[in-house]
Amino acid sequence: GSGGHAPRPPLSGPRSGFRRLGLRGMKQRLLVVANRLPVSANRRGEDQWSLEISAGGLVSALLGVKDVDAKWIGWAGVNVPDEVGQQALTNALAEKRCIPVFLDEEIVHQYYNGYCNNILWPLFHYLGLPQEDRLATTRNFESQFDAYKRANQMFADVVYQHYQEGDVIWCHDYHLMFLPRCLKEHDINMKVGWFLHTPFPSSEIYRTLPSRSELLRSVLCADLVGFHTYDYARHFVSACTRILGLEGTPEGVEDQGKLTRVAAFPIGIDSDRFKRALDIDAAKRHVNELKQRFAGRKVMLGVDRLDMIKGIPQKILAFEKFLEENPEWIDKVVLLQIAVPTRTDVPEYQKLTSQVHEIVGRINGRFGTLSAVPIHHLDRSLDFHALCALYAVTDVALVTSLRDGMNLVSYEYVACQGSKKGVLILSEVSDQL
């Protein structure tokens, strides 16, 4: 942390990241590369696929990007071992301007569940490296890191097939820290940006990662590196100076005359999309149903991915404490918790799910009646109009992250609160503050 507020150099300039990368004219071609495509695919037959737009902050943020001709490259979240299925999915995705990267189950296990979600994600959120069995972790680490590099090369191979001179390639998140190097080694003139959607930890934490130097050098191959906040940009620059011995400048990081620009670009949402949604009949019906259902009770709402960093058990226990200390509120308030399951094959996440269910069951048993319970908990995402309706009728939205990147729920809630003007309670470690 920094003592007080240092004067902020151009690292946090308001200029658009696109302009920095040279996106000037109308309809600049942009290749967005992220681990997941913004659609989820379900197989309906040998050569039939159904697609739906996924939930998630990255999708919500990037739907707000205008005036570019964007194509999205990523993994469709399904294993497709056969040619026929791959071709059919490629064709279906092309209509949504998406291009698939096909990863087999072994790579997904080692790269996605292993290196990304078991090592980088906890470390970047200050949870440290997995402690269970240090020796087993060390052995797995090697093979997971190899899989991580292999997977990044597979993403790069797909980029090469679709790249045209003058395209800007925008790489996203901790899954693809190796990608800038792969791309620049292929063609030094590619315009490459890399943006991190999570915190970047202080260099003291980051240096505990065995592959720390290799990942930093790979990211530095990009022309522009972006973070949510000035603090994360500063942490990254100080990791480069302390671990690699490079020079930090107000513009970024310099290595033998080559400058990688580093800057903060706070992310937002397309708020009009949420406001427009509330004018649609389906959303109005939802709003009326919810108002009737919870008439006479204040509605508190949490919308989170079911993840350790989101503070869901803590939020529910705080609600229990509120009911204990204010018994007159027991039948006058309801907490709606939407907890979208993710990473369901990672043991830590399975543990969290059963922990949350247990707490909800105990509190509902303690304070509920036959006709009403204080907590309604959903283990799934809502469709867009239902979610907007829920935001619109909510009196108090709770974002209780223990450590988070840019959590967009707060923005989405405010965008839908035109008529109600409810209360937003925001964790002090959220980046929106």
Side-chain angles (χ1 to χ4, degrees):
S2 59
H5 287 286
R8 302 203 162 183
L11 214 57
S12 53
R15 290 168 293 172
S16 139
F18 286 139
R19 255 198 327 280
R20 300 253 186 120
L21 277 172
L23 265 102
R24 282 208 174 77
M26 291 300 285
K27 294 296 177 191
Q28 160 72 45
R29 269 179 53 106
L30 174 68
L31 295 178
V32 173
V33 194
N35 174 61
R36 282 297 290 270
L37 289 171
V39 295
S40 45
N42 288 305
R43 197 160 191 170
R44 296 278 180 247
E46 191 184 19
D47 57 356
Q48 290 295 311
W49 289 88
S50 69
L51 305 173
E52 56 181 280
I53 293 278
S54 318
L58 182 59
V59 177
S60 188
L62 291 182
L63 285 174
V65 174
K66 303 282 192 290
D67 296 333
V68 291
D69 173 12
K71 286 203 172 111
W72 193 311
I73 294 173
W75 174 52
V78 283
N79 184 32
V80 193
D82 59 299
E83 285 281 318
V84 175
Q86 289 191 5
Q87 194 50 57
L89 181 54
T90 303
N91 296 343
L93 286 168
E95 291 172 23
K96 304 258 187 216
R97 310 189 60 70
C98 289
I99 299 158
V101 177
F102 292 107
L103 304 173
D104 63 51
E105 283 181 333
E106 178 54 22
I107 278 262
V108 168
H109 177 66
Q110 295 260 25
Y111 141 77
Y112 180 66
N113 296 336
Y115 197 76
C116 292
N117 288 336
N118 206 31
I119 291 176
L120 292 182
W121 172 269
L123 187 75
F124 282 18
H125 290 88
Y126 290 81
L127 302 175
L129 291 172
Q131 293 296 328
E132 297 87 75
D133 174 356
R134 296 308 304 221
L135 277 174
T137 302
T138 307
R139 281 196 300 275
N140 292 342
F141 188 90
E142 297 275 312
S143 60
Q144 289 177 359
F145 187 50
D146 285 344
Y148 181 84
K149 290 194 278 194
R150 272 207 319 282
N152 275 242
Q153 186 59 55
M154 289 161 85
F155 280 85
D157 292 341
V158 176
V159 174
Y160 305 156
Q161 291 163 26
H162 295 271
Y163 173 76
Q164 295 174 15
E165 200 174 332
D167 288 0
V168 168
I169 303 162
W170 193 12
C171 312
H172 288 270
D173 230 0
Y174 61 97
H175 311 89
L176 299 175
M177 292 177 79
F178 229 77
L179 188 56
R181 165 177 283 179
C182 299
L183 296 172
K184 286 290 194 176
E185 283 178 353
H186 179 76
D187 180 350
I188 193 71
N189 296 316
M190 281 184 175
K191 285 190 178 136
V192 177
W194 181 78
F195 185 85
L196 183 65
H197 292 263
T198 68
F200 191 89
S202 76
S203 59
E204 294 307 311
I205 298 280
Y206 178 77
R207 72 185 331 149
T208 61
L209 184 67
S211 47
R212 55 192 172 264
S213 302
E214 216 174 334
L215 286 179
L216 286 177
R217 287 198 185 280
S218 307
V219 169
L220 287 173
C221 290
D223 301 291
L224 174 66
V225 174
F227 298 91
H228 281 313
T229 69
Y230 174 75
D231 280 349
Y232 300 161
R234 195 169 48 82
H235 286 162
F236 176 79
V237 171
S238 78
C240 293
T241 54
R242 290 177 181 181
I243 295 167
L244 301 179
L246 299 177
E247 194 175 338
T249 75
E251 289 286 304
V253 177
E254 209 165 279
D255 182 9
Q256 296 171 340
K258 179 199 177 291
L259 174 71
T260 300
R261 292 180 182 278
V262 178
F265 303 107
I267 206 164
I269 59 167
D270 178 0
S271 54
D272 290 338
R273 179 169 162 253
F274 287 81
K275 290 175 186 155
R276 282 195 307 271
L278 290 171
D279 293 333
I280 289 167
D281 288 342
K284 288 178 178 167
R285 265 199 315 279
H286 280 303
V287 166
N288 290 333
E289 283 165 16
L290 288 164
K291 280 181 175 165
Q292 283 169 6
R293 174 87 197 274
F294 299 115
R297 299 167 86 183
K298 292 286 182 193
V299 175
M300 300 174 92
L301 174 68
V303 179
D304 307 273
R305 273 188 322 98
L306 191 56
D307 197 297
M308 278 72 82
I309 64 161
K310 300 294 185 183
I312 298 172
Q314 289 83 349
K315 178 192 310 180
I316 297 169
L317 291 170
F319 183 64
E320 178 182 36
K321 192 166 194 290
F322 171 75
L323 295 180
E324 273 171 10
E325 292 177 358
N326 304 277
E328 70 278 12
W329 276 96
I330 286 173
D331 52 356
K332 296 190 181 70
V333 64
V334 60
L335 171 63
L336 309 181
Q337 176 63 54
I338 314 293
V340 185
T342 47
R343 307 173 188 168
T344 42
D345 42 4
V346 179
E348 294 289 306
Y349 287 77
Q350 295 163 353
K351 221 183 295 175
L352 178 67
T353 306
S354 46
Q355 187 187 20
V356 168
H357 287 177
E358 195 180 309
I359 300 171
V360 169
R362 180 174 62 70
I363 296 171
N364 280 343
R366 181 178 172 195
F367 294 108
T369 62
L370 288 174
S371 55
V373 291
I375 303 174
H376 291 249
H377 180 271
L378 279 190
D379 272 333
R380 57 184 174 80
S381 54
L382 293 180
D383 76 53
F384 184 59
H385 292 111
L387 180 63
C388 292
L390 196 48
Y391 283 143
V393 302
T394 292
D395 297 287
V396 181
L398 295 166
V399 177
T400 55
S401 318
L402 307 178
R403 177 71 71 169
D404 214 345
M406 195 60 74
N407 185 314
L408 299 179
V409 167
S410 54
Y411 296 149
E412 294 173 0
Y413 171 65
V414 171
C416 294
Q417 279 280 310
S419 54
K420 195 166 183 81
K421 307 283 190 284
V423 174
L424 170 65
I425 295 179
L426 202 51
S427 154
E428 65 191 86
V429 291
S430 272
D431 287 346
Q432 298 79 340
L433 290 177

